[in-house]
Amino acid sequence: MSQDINNVVLIGRLVRDAELKYTNIGTPVTKFAIAVNERRKNGDSWENRASFIDVTLWGKLGESLHDYMTKGKQIAVQGRLNQQRWEKDGYKHSRTGVVAENIQLLGSKSGGTAPPEQNQESSGNAGENFDDDIPFF
């Protein structure tokens, strides 16, 4: 029997500055969104279409890269898709995002300082004790 594969690699630009929080037990969690552009031909002209993807990065990697993850910065994200499902006010909701396992900062928005060593692994434990009533990525 074959196993399923859940792996995604994206390169895009940060939509806003990354947000760093800590769970109740002190685990760092960095949340951000990236815009990934797709260029398509429509008749005689080309159109750009952006997809906006929410990303969550658990552990020290996000903590160390947080200051460098600013709006407009191009990054590469490797991770897995994660779908959150919840019910609120009798309505079912769902949201799909990416749980990052590796981040690479690419290029520069406007020069800037070089980031610290990026080849660390994040500790990818989901924060079971995170006190938030709305699921997030």
Side-chain angles (χ1 to χ4, degrees):
M1 178 181 256
S2 65
Q3 287 193 331
D4 296 337
I5 296 172
N6 183 357
N7 190 36
V8 62
V9 176
L10 301 167
I11 295 177
R13 296 200 178 267
L14 289 161
V15 174
R16 60 187 168 276
D17 293 354
E19 179 182 339
L20 175 63
K21 291 184 178 181
Y22 295 87
T23 65
N24 294 338
I25 59 172
T27 303
V29 57
T30 306
K31 299 185 326 183
F32 55 95
I34 61 172
V36 178
N37 290 315
E38 177 183 359
R39 191 167 166 96
R40 290 184 172 187
K41 189 162 185 167
N42 185 5
D44 292 335
S45 63
W46 287 91
E47 294 179 345
N48 288 324
R49 182 176 149 213
S51 295
F52 299 93
I53 291 105
D54 292 323
V55 182
T56 302
L57 176 60
W58 293 93
K60 294 191 182 287
L61 181 59
E63 191 175 42
S64 65
L65 293 179
H66 171 259
D67 291 338
Y68 302 97
M69 296 176 63
T70 56
K71 181 178 179 177
K73 180 79 174 164
Q74 187 179 39
I75 66 170
V77 176
Q78 183 273 320
R80 59 184 166 81
L81 292 176
N82 184 13
Q83 184 179 36
Q84 297 284 324
R85 295 183 190 112
W86 71 98
E87 189 171 324
K88 184 176 181 180
D89 300 328
Y91 293 98
K92 293 182 178 183
H93 302 272
S94 71
R95 179 179 11 204
T96 302
V98 173
V99 175
E101 296 170 0
N102 192 14
I103 300 287
Q104 294 291 316
L105 301 180
L106 306 173
S108 177
K109 176 172 87 167
S110 59
T113 319
E117 179 62 39
Q118 299 176 43
N119 293 330
Q120 309 169 21
E121 284 191 22
S122 63
S123 47
N125 296 338
E128 298 86 18
N129 296 328
F130 197 164
D131 187 19
D132 197 348
D133 59 332
I134 299 175
F136 64 91
F137 288 93

